[in-house]
């Protein structure tokens, strides 16, 4: 939905730019169409900025939460949260890096899911 609205709002602007760039022989008809497209592109250009927060509010729980936090609480009332109110997906991953020694062996450091570092020597 956001991409479609974005495309609709910006299409007249790009049409305006293409007309200005590629029409060399301006007739009265071209000029009249260009004037309408120019006005419509300006309206839709600003409409895009006005519609964005409304669409994000309708589609994103996290946006609503952060907006309420920013608007309803001043900077002096911010309380740290232990977790987000929205449903989020947490992924765990391990990080591997090979650090070769000068004797040809390599130490593989792995960060386990519990956050503890482990080292294994390989040759």
């Amino acid at each position: 939905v956001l991409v479609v609205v974005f495309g609709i709002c910006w299409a007249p602007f790009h049409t305006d730019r293409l007309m200005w760039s590629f029409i060399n022989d301006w007739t009265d008809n071209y000029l009249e169409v260009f004037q309408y497209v120019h006005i419509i592109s300006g309206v839709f250009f600003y409409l895009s900025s006005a519609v964005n927060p409304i669409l994000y509010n309708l589609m994103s729980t996290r946006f609503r939460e952060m907006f309420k936090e920013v608007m309803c609480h001043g900077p002096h009332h911010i309380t740290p949260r232990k977790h987000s109110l929205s449903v989020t997906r947490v992924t765990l991953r391990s990080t591997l890096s090979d650090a070769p020694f000068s004797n040809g062996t390599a130490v593989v450091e792995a960060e386990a899911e519990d956050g503890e570092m482990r080292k294994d020597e390989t040759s």
Side-chain angles (χ1 to χ4, degrees), residues 33-120:
V33 169
F34 178 77
Q35 288 173 344
Y36 285 118
V37 169
H38 189 71
I39 291 170
I40 290 170
S41 72
V43 170
F44 276 80
F45 180 81
Y46 288 108
L47 183 65
S48 172
S49 297
V51 169
N52 258 346
I54 295 168
L55 289 177
Y56 276 109
N57 180 40
L58 293 173
M59 299 182 73
S60 173
T61 304
R62 186 166 183 210
F63 178 84
R64 283 192 297 272
E65 291 169 4
M66 292 297 117
F67 185 82
K68 284 180 197 174
E69 187 174 310
V70 168
M71 297 307 287
C72 296
H73 301 102
H76 57 282
H77 293 310
I78 295 176
T79 56
R81 293 187 306 194
K82 293 181 182 174
H83 56 82
S84 175
L85 298 175
S86 65
V87 178
T88 57
R89 186 181 331 167
V90 177
T91 58
L92 300 173
R93 63 181 176 90
S94 64
T95 306
L96 296 176
S97 63
D98 290 338
F101 287 133
S102 61
N103 64 359
T105 62
V107 174
V108 177
E109 292 182 351
E111 183 180 344
E113 292 178 356
D114 59 3
E116 191 173 314
M117 293 297 291
R118 293 187 178 87
K119 293 184 180 183
D120 295 322

Side-chain angles (χ1 to χ4, degrees), residues 3-55:
V3 174
V4 171
V5 171
F6 181 81
I8 290 170
C9 288
W10 281 85
F13 174 77
H14 291 295
T15 303
D16 178 90
R17 296 292 90 203
L18 289 171
M19 287 178 73
W20 182 259
S21 297
F22 292 111
I23 295 177
N24 293 325
D25 300 322
W26 286 92
T27 64
D28 289 337
N29 289 337
Y30 282 154
L31 187 58
E32 187 176 350
V33 169
F34 178 77
Q35 288 173 344
Y36 285 118
V37 169
H38 189 71
I39 291 170
I40 290 170
S41 72
V43 170
F44 276 80
F45 180 81
Y46 288 108
L47 183 65
S48 172
S49 297
V51 169
N52 258 346
I54 295 168
L55 289 177

